[in-house]
Amino acid sequence: MAEQSNRSAADLLALLRWQVEAGADEAIAEHPIDRYAATALAPQAPPRKAAPAPARALAPPAPRAPGEASGRSLAGAARTLGELAEALALFEGCPLKQTATKLVFADGNPDARIMLVGEAPGADEDRIGRPFVGVSGQMLDRMLACIGLDRTRVYIANAVYWRPPGNRTPTGEEIAACLPFVERHIELVSPEILVLLGAPAVKSLLARKEGITTLRGQWFQYESAGLARPIPTLATLHPAYLLRQPAQKRYAWRDMLALQEKAESLGLSIPSVKQPR
Ligand code: URA
């Protein structure tokens, strides 16, 4: 009997560990909800018509409830960054909003000529409501400091506006749901240079299939309907990846130098270079 209860305690512990690893690391309600039972009872949506493949290989956003405004119409109506943040507060089309604590909109200087787009908020960002405030943010600050930049000289947002549970990578559907807002965000800031940090931002904003280690260090032209001109866009490594793979910092350092060179060629003044740490 004692052996039986020991085994079940070990089983329960293993189950708990599995859930944490799968990202279920926070209680969001008093009682559990059986989502499988809910799906079985819910009326099935009619099958969607096959559509031509989108230019960016992302999953389509989830179907909208009747009367719910689309992300594109909400985002498109925003004339200022404040209105865009308000539109996101009204938007219910991204499932991440259900589990996140705060909307993580942006940080830095909205008048800056360099805009960075990261992946997704983590636990610290979710608590504070600003991007890159945790350890990845400290690494990002060091990368920027290498070429004399800081948050008064750049503007920072993410490919999704809410934290994925357990800090997992956002899904194609979550990224697609946020994309109209990210596109409008870029249009409203209208930077001279865009820097994409890591694979999800690159996949979201550029129609490229290659991995980030192939694309990093390369310049692209980011275009969207609401922009007067294409924006030179640099793909680089995500600071969290550099924390896990310190040997890759040498490539990030090269990318920062390329960013500095491009900024100078566009007449954006950047103070003198410091040695990387
Ligand atoms: N990583 C990101 O990509 N964004 C954040 O805001 C924090 C960590």
Side-chain angles (χ1 to χ4, degrees):
M1 191 63 193
E3 194 189 320
Q4 172 92 33
S5 66
N6 276 348
R7 198 175 319 124
S8 57
D11 287 350
L12 285 174
L13 204 57
L15 183 59
L16 201 56
R17 198 171 291 127
W18 178 82
Q19 285 182 326
V20 170
E21 278 165 14
D25 60 353
E26 282 171 58
I28 56 167
E30 286 294 314
H31 302 288
I33 301 166
D34 184 347
R35 303 272 178 206
Y36 292 105
T39 313
L41 291 175
Q44 295 295 306
R48 297 203 202 171
K49 277 201 206 140
R56 296 177 185 119
L58 293 174
R64 271 176 282 137
E68 191 181 311
S70 77
R72 195 147 299 280
S73 63
L74 278 170
R79 295 282 162 263
T80 63
L81 293 173
E83 284 180 13
L84 188 67
E86 280 167 22
L88 275 161
L90 295 175
F91 179 56
E92 298 301 335
C94 178
L96 293 176
K97 193 176 186 182
Q98 313 301 319
T99 48
T101 311
K102 287 211 173 101
L103 165 70
V104 177
F105 185 64
D107 196 25
N109 180 353
D111 295 323
R113 302 292 68 223
I114 301 175
M115 178 169 177
L116 282 69
V117 181
E119 178 179 327
D124 293 320
E125 290 75 19
D126 183 55
R127 197 166 35 82
I128 293 169
R130 286 194 353 248
F132 285 101
V133 292
V135 282
S136 297
Q138 289 162 16
M139 183 67 210
L140 178 62
D141 288 342
R142 290 203 291 277
M143 289 164 72
L144 294 172
C146 284
I147 54 165
L149 290 175
D150 61 25
R151 292 188 192 216
T152 66
R153 294 167 156 264
V154 299
Y155 184 73
I156 308 173
N158 277 312
V160 300
Y161 291 94
W162 296 274
R163 178 197 181 203
N167 292 349
R168 62 163 169 73
T169 304
T171 64
E173 189 182 74
E174 291 154 358
I175 292 175
C178 291
L179 184 59
F181 294 91
V182 180
E183 289 177 342
R184 188 74 188 128
H185 211 152
I186 296 168
E187 286 169 12
L188 290 171
V189 176
S190 188
E192 301 278 338
I193 297 177
L194 199 54
V195 179
L196 306 180
L197 302 163
V202 170
K203 278 199 188 125
S204 170
L205 293 165
L206 304 173
R208 306 296 303 208
K209 292 204 181 79
E210 303 94 319
I212 186 65
T213 47
T214 307
L215 295 176
R216 67 135 283 278
Q218 296 188 40
W219 286 93
F220 301 90
Q221 294 290 330
Y222 171 79
E223 296 180 61
S224 81
L227 281 173
R229 50 178 169 69
I231 303 175
T233 298
L234 177 66
T236 190
L237 303 171
H238 193 283
Y241 175 71
L242 299 177
L243 289 171
R244 292 193 302 272
Q245 304 279 341
Q248 303 291 314
K249 284 184 192 169
R250 74 185 102 152
Y251 300 113
W253 166 239
R254 281 183 209 165
D255 297 349
M256 291 300 102
L257 291 181
L259 170 61
Q260 185 186 43
E261 199 177 297
K262 176 70 83 182
E264 280 171 2
S265 77
L266 294 174
L268 313 177
S269 83
I270 292 191
S272 62
V273 178
K274 294 181 195 156
Q275 277 306 306
R277 274 182 279 158

